[in-house]
Amino acid sequence: EIVLTQSPATLSLSPGERATLSCRASQSVSSFLAWYQQKPGQAPRLLIYDASNRATGIPGRFSGSGSGTDFTLTISSLQPEDIAVYYCQQRGKWPPWYTFGQGTKLEIK
Amino acid sequence: EVQLMESGGGLVQPGGSLRLSCTASGFTFRTYWMSWVRQAPGKGLEWVANIKPDGSETYYVDSVKGRFIISRDNAKNSLYLQMNSLRAEDTAVYYCARDLTGTVAYFDYWGQGTLVTVSS
C-alpha cells in the first residue's frame, strides 16, 4: 500500500505570500496524483490532477508539480478565501484503491 | 449542472445496519465510476469503496470488506452503500463522489455528505 505524507501539518502565511505544500509518496506513483481543497463544513474540491493539470474553474494561482515520489502544490499569491485543508491523493495501479495524505491546514495570518 | 445528493445517515447502535443513498443528476450516471469516501470527525479523508459503471466490479478498503456493500441502479441514477456490523470507528461523514471524466483515478464532483454516527 502506498502511503502519502504531507508537510507541513499547518502553514500560516500572510495574504499575498506564496504557499508551498508538499506531498511525498512511499513509492513511485508516476504522475497519478491529485490535490483537493476542503473548506470548513464543505466537501472537498478537486484542484489539480495528474500532478500538474488544473481542474475546471480553478484559478491560475494554484499550480502543481512533481512526479515519482515528490509533489508540490503552490499557491502563488494567497487570498483570504484560500483558508482550507489541502489533501493529496493517489490511486494505486490496480485494483483501483485510492489513498489520501493526512492533510495540510493553511491559515492566513 | 452536476449534482450528487446523499441521504440515509443517522444514529445507529454498534452492530447495526444502515443504507446510504446518493442520487445523481446533471450527467450520464451510467458511464461513470462512483465511490464512497468518508471523513471521521476532525480527521482526514478515507476512500471506502467504488463501483464500475455497469456495476460488474466493486472494490473496498480492507477495513470494510465483508461488512459494506456498494451497489448502483443506473435506471434510477442512484448509488448505494449498505453498511452492516457497524462499529464506532465507522462514525463519519460519508460522501459520494464521481470519478473525473475519462479516468478511474480522481474525484471531480462530491455530494454534501451524510453523517453516520455509531454509538450506544
Side-chain angles (χ1 to χ4, degrees), chain A residues 43-61:
Chain A
R45 177 173 71 148
L46 178 65
L47 297 176
I48 301 288
Y49 65 95
D50 285 346
S52 61
N53 294 321
R54 265 191 306 276
T56 302
I58 301 304
R61 65 180 182 273

Side-chain angles (χ1 to χ4, degrees), chain B residues 38 40-41 46 63 67-68 86-92 94 116 118:
Chain B
R38 67 184 178 183
E46 180 183 41
S63 59
R67 300 189 299 123
F68 290 11
L86 282 161
R87 307 167 179 166
E89 54 265 36
D90 295 318
T91 294
Y94 284 74
V116 172
V118 184

Side-chain angles (χ1 to χ4, degrees), chain B residues 19-32:
Chain B
R19 189 194 196 208
L20 306 183
S21 298
C22 171
T23 302
S25 61
F27 66 101
T28 308
F29 178 74
R30 67 178 185 276
T31 65
Y32 283 84

